[in-house]
Amino acid sequence: MTLHRPHGTLSNSADVISLLPEDAGWTYTGLRVLRLEAGSVRTIETGEFEAFVLPLAGSLTVEVDDERFELQGRESVFTRVTDFAYVPRDASVRLSSVDGCEVALPMARCENRLSPEYGPADGVPVEVRGAGNATRQVTNFGVPGVWDHADKLNACELITPDGNWSSYPPHKHDSSEPCEVENEEIYYFRIADRDGVTPSRTGFGFHRTYTDDGTIDEDVTVRDGDVFLIPRGYHGPCVAAPGYPMYYLNVLAGPGSSRSMAFCDDPAHTWVRDSWADQELDPRCPVTTAEGRVK
């Protein structure tokens, strides 16, 4: 299986990214990224998948099951926490945008059909995690305990200031001991240009995924729009090159009867967490809130 999917390798005539579980070689987790031109309309049939509708750039209207949600978006993923919506399986979803937008649909194959739901930006908690050069922002819009209105789907956003490390210490969500939760995970990367706001293929970062037995051992350069698939094993760090802040959308789902994002550190590196107690937080975090950029 090819775990690193560079920008353009998952696109088709309609979608910027079209990734179904079968494309990844697994069962539950998928991702679509759509671009709507100004004044355009797209109708999406969810089939056996539930999904979040998450604006990446621009704003849009979501109509589903006689509900209508106006999602105030953002200039880019580096400028603001955004409104979002949850849409159920077996639904016809109409997406429209007055000024045009780019929107992500993280999704999960599921069994239970729930009702559509609106998620306001001002209800999304922003967490600052780590310390020192491992300080990063975690935007917990679609995680258990914050957003419980989903059957299988988990999702969150991270922003890593340029030069910092995130997804560290390396950790895993798989069925091997001592982990209790199994999840298939997608990383969808956006990399800002020198202005810290505008996504661009100029900048870059690094990502590592590996297993104890060496069957997976990948260190890759990631650029704006790339996707990385994690079927199992430890993942991390993600490193933002100096000058180029890194964003990624995490999408997780698995066979468990209840949603969870529990993880296990690589025991060789978990000591790093204790070292953060003596380090200052990077003052660049948090980067964004529902009101916009913090600094």
Side-chain angles (χ1 to χ4, degrees), residues 54-183:
L54 182 74
L56 301 173
S59 301
L60 74 156
T61 301
V62 180
E63 297 172 84
V64 54
D65 287 5
D66 298 321
E67 297 276 5
R68 179 185 176 95
F69 306 130
E70 300 288 347
L71 304 187
Q72 181 183 350
R74 47 196 170 181
E75 179 185 348
S76 88
V77 295
F78 297 99
T79 59
R80 180 180 177 269
V81 175
T82 183
D83 297 346
F84 66 98
Y86 169 88
V87 295
R89 61 166 291 159
D90 300 318
S92 182
V93 184
R94 186 178 188 270
L95 308 176
S96 58
S97 179
V98 173
D99 298 315
C101 72
E102 189 173 50
V103 58
L105 278 74
M107 58 192 190
R109 179 175 278 121
C110 67
E111 297 179 359
N112 298 312
R113 191 183 197 276
L114 308 181
S115 60
E117 196 77 28
Y118 167 66
D122 60 12
V124 175
V126 173
E127 173 189 1
V128 176
R129 190 176 295 175
N133 65 353
T135 309
R136 62 274 198 180
Q137 170 179 323
V138 185
T139 306
N140 289 309
F141 76 93
V143 304
V146 173
W147 184 269
D148 292 326
H149 190 77
D151 187 32
K152 291 284 190 183
L153 180 59
N154 306 283
C156 63
E157 302 177 291
L158 286 92
I159 297 178
T160 308
D162 65 286
N164 281 12
W165 294 43
S166 59
S167 287
Y168 195 73
H171 60 281
K172 62 180 179 178
H173 329 257
D174 64 27
S175 58
S176 61
E177 292 293 334
C179 291
E180 300 177 356
V181 173
E182 181 179 357
N183 275 323

Side-chain angles (χ1 to χ4, degrees), residues 179-207:
C179 291
E180 300 177 356
V181 173
E182 181 179 357
N183 275 323
E184 308 156 350
E185 184 170 8
I186 296 170
Y187 274 61
Y188 169 55
F189 292 93
R190 306 306 304 263
I191 308 295
D193 209 335
R194 66 176 68 185
D195 64 1
V197 168
T198 308
S200 167
R201 295 281 292 173
T202 302
F204 61 96
F206 299 99
H207 172 86

